[in-house]
Amino acid sequence: MTPGPTLSDPDSLLAEQLLRLTRRLHRVHKRHLEKSGIGITPAQSRLLRTVVHYDTPPRMADLAQRLEVVPRAVTTLVDGLENSGCVRRVPDPANRRVIRIELTDTGRVALDKLRGARRAAAEEILAPLATEQREVFGGLLSALLDHRGETDC
């Protein structure tokens, strides 16, 4: 069995801690989503949050690119969200062959519940940190995210 990261390898230890935190955040977020009763998976949640950032309904290809997934994955997510009434497919007014994804009123209500679930998950994860620690942690996260030069929903 290979030993885990040690204090003598701080970057490896930090990477392991980040991965563990990411997994924990995913589990906590998923639990809060389930408690909210919206019936949306974390992946569907991410797609819904992405759709709302566009000024006009995005194309499926736009969503796939923004989410960094293959178009087929977006199709599956949209199918689920369309079945739950959160989004609908609409033809592009300039090109009938292009389909755009539009948020519905049900989707807007779901987004509000999603925000509540995300907030509750963040509060649970951050509970051990004092206000000053949260500020420092937020600054560090911003520095890491800004360095990538990309935005994520």
Side-chain angles (χ1 to χ4, degrees), residues 122-151:
E123 288 172 8
E124 182 177 330
I125 293 286
L126 298 172
L129 301 180
T131 302
E132 300 81 23
Q133 290 173 312
R134 288 179 186 211
E135 290 172 6
V136 169
F137 187 56
L140 294 170
L141 288 174
S142 292
L144 292 171
L145 293 169
D146 292 346
H147 179 72
R148 246 184 105 199
E150 297 175 11
T151 58

Side-chain angles (χ1 to χ4, degrees), residues 19-34 42 121 124-125:
L19 290 171
R20 287 177 54 210
L21 179 60
T22 300
R23 286 191 297 265
R24 181 170 175 232
L25 184 57
H26 182 77
R27 282 191 313 271
V28 169
H29 182 234
K30 185 176 179 183
R31 188 177 73 243
H32 282 277
L33 276 177
E34 289 168 356
E124 182 177 330
I125 293 286

Side-chain angles (χ1 to χ4, degrees), residues 39-48 50-51 60 63-64 67-89 101:
I40 290 178
T41 67
Q44 289 172 332
S45 165
R46 186 168 178 237
L47 186 131
L48 205 55
T50 301
V51 169
M60 301 273 266
L63 292 169
L67 294 171
E68 298 178 349
V69 298
V70 296
R72 177 69 192 129
V74 170
T75 300
T76 301
L77 293 172
V78 168
D79 288 346
L81 288 170
E82 191 173 38
N83 288 339
S84 67
C86 291
V87 299
R88 68 178 148 254
R89 288 173 166 93
I101 306 305

